[in-house]
Amino acid sequence: MKTTALVIEDDRHIANLITMHLTDAGLEVDTAGDGESGLQKAVHGRFDLIVLDLMLPGVDGLSICRSVRKQDRYVPILVVTARSAEMDKITGLELGADDYITKPFSPRELVARVHAILRRTQELGSTATDAGTSIRIGDLTIDVPRHRAFRGSDEVDLTSKEFDLLTLLARHPGQAFNREQLLDRVWGYHHDGYSHTVNSHINRLRAKIEISPSQPQYIRTVWGYGYRFAEPGEFSTSREDG
């Protein structure tokens, strides 16, 4: 079956441009030209990817992103933003968008971003099938197919990148990753100015999953190198190396 994408964009020229290049890349594309129809298709349809403009008539893109993330089935979202809308980009990522691209954009970059998102999503799904649908360590449970995480019985509210970062680390307990490796594995390509935000993502993850973020039990610092996820045997000790 072909990979399917939904393009929600009110500018007909841009929508046609995106549709043409995604079709040339082998995707089957549906479109919506306003927020209301885009929301209905996004929530009730079954797509492998959503390309979502934030500035839409009717229902705005952030509301659509929020509604899609309430669904059980995880669909990756590539947000399209105006270059000046910095807060919208940040809010979109916080609401669970997988990546963003700014207008004007090159079709080549758009297709590269789409392929990177789909590759990471497919790798996540195939690894989950091989290793089981959930990762459990300590009182932390990561439900990979549904993109949900729990500490005990309480759900942890994670952004898309926080979830992917946590899943990558948890799948390789004890293995140390430096910041460049984490950027490559989680973001899929180099983000200008994003290297330093690996630390902020780690800090936010610790604040959400650790009992004491200043003495992390799960995500350990490897001094002078990067980070690693604790091995199961380490939960029997109180020593932390955060």
Side-chain angles (χ1 to χ4, degrees):
M1 294 179 63
K2 273 195 172 184
T3 301
T4 58
L6 172 64
V7 176
I8 308 176
E9 168 62 66
D10 64 313
D11 186 312
R12 183 172 298 179
H13 173 72
I14 295 177
N16 290 340
L17 181 69
I18 294 173
T19 299
M20 178 179 68
H21 286 282
L22 293 187
T23 301
D24 288 346
L27 280 70
E28 187 173 291
V29 182
D30 191 7
T31 61
D34 61 81
E36 184 61 38
S37 62
L39 175 62
Q40 293 301 313
K41 289 186 177 184
V43 170
H44 298 294
R46 293 189 67 84
F47 299 96
D48 300 302
L49 171 75
I50 296 174
V51 180
L52 175 64
D53 184 23
L54 293 185
M55 302 296 292
L56 294 165
V59 182
D60 63 81
L62 293 177
S63 297
I64 294 174
C65 187
R66 186 182 294 110
S67 296
V68 170
R69 284 294 168 258
K70 291 179 181 179
Q71 306 299 303
D72 285 340
R73 181 176 179 268
Y74 188 83
V75 182
I77 298 173
L78 173 63
V79 160
V80 180
T81 75
R83 188 172 295 278
S84 60
E86 184 67 26
M87 286 308 299
D88 282 346
K89 290 186 288 190
I90 294 171
T91 304
L93 294 174
E94 290 296 324
L95 288 175
D98 294 81
D99 199 359
Y100 71 85
I101 190 168
T102 55
K103 298 178 182 179
F105 53 83
S106 75
R108 185 174 181 179
E109 181 184 7
L110 171 75
V111 172
R113 299 279 183 110
V114 166
H115 281 319
I117 292 172
L118 292 174
R119 183 173 62 250
R120 292 196 303 273
T121 304
Q122 289 164 1
E123 287 175 353
L124 196 65
S126 62
T127 307
T129 301
D130 295 339
T133 58
S134 295
I135 302 169
R136 294 183 177 87
I137 186 165
D139 68 347
L140 185 67
T141 301
I142 305 170
D143 185 339
V144 178
R146 298 170 66 195
H147 252 244
R148 300 173 71 180
F150 300 84
R151 196 175 69 185
S153 59
D154 298 325
E155 184 165 2
V156 184
D157 186 17
L158 299 178
T159 68
S160 177
K161 284 294 178 285
E162 289 167 355
F163 182 88
D164 290 348
L165 184 57
L166 175 62
T167 302
L168 171 64
L169 291 169
R171 280 204 175 112
H172 303 87
Q175 179 177 337
F177 293 89
N178 62 33
R179 290 161 184 80
E180 290 73 22
Q181 290 171 326
L182 292 174
L183 275 173
D184 182 65
R185 298 283 293 274
V186 174
W187 279 260
Y189 55 89
H190 180 66
H191 270 263
D192 291 336
Y194 261 58
S195 295
H196 67 283
T197 65
V198 171
N199 292 354
S200 65
H201 277 76
I202 292 290
N203 289 338
R204 292 208 304 267
L205 264 179
R206 284 172 168 168
K208 293 178 179 182
I209 68 171
E210 304 282 2
I211 295 175
S212 175
S214 62
Q215 295 182 307
Q217 185 180 36
Y218 292 103
I219 301 175
R220 311 294 186 95
T221 299
V222 181
W223 295 109
Y225 187 76
Y227 302 97
R228 67 180 179 86
F229 203 82
E231 298 179 76
E234 294 180 89
F235 288 91
S236 62
T237 68
S238 60
R239 177 182 175 274
E240 305 296 349
D241 63 351

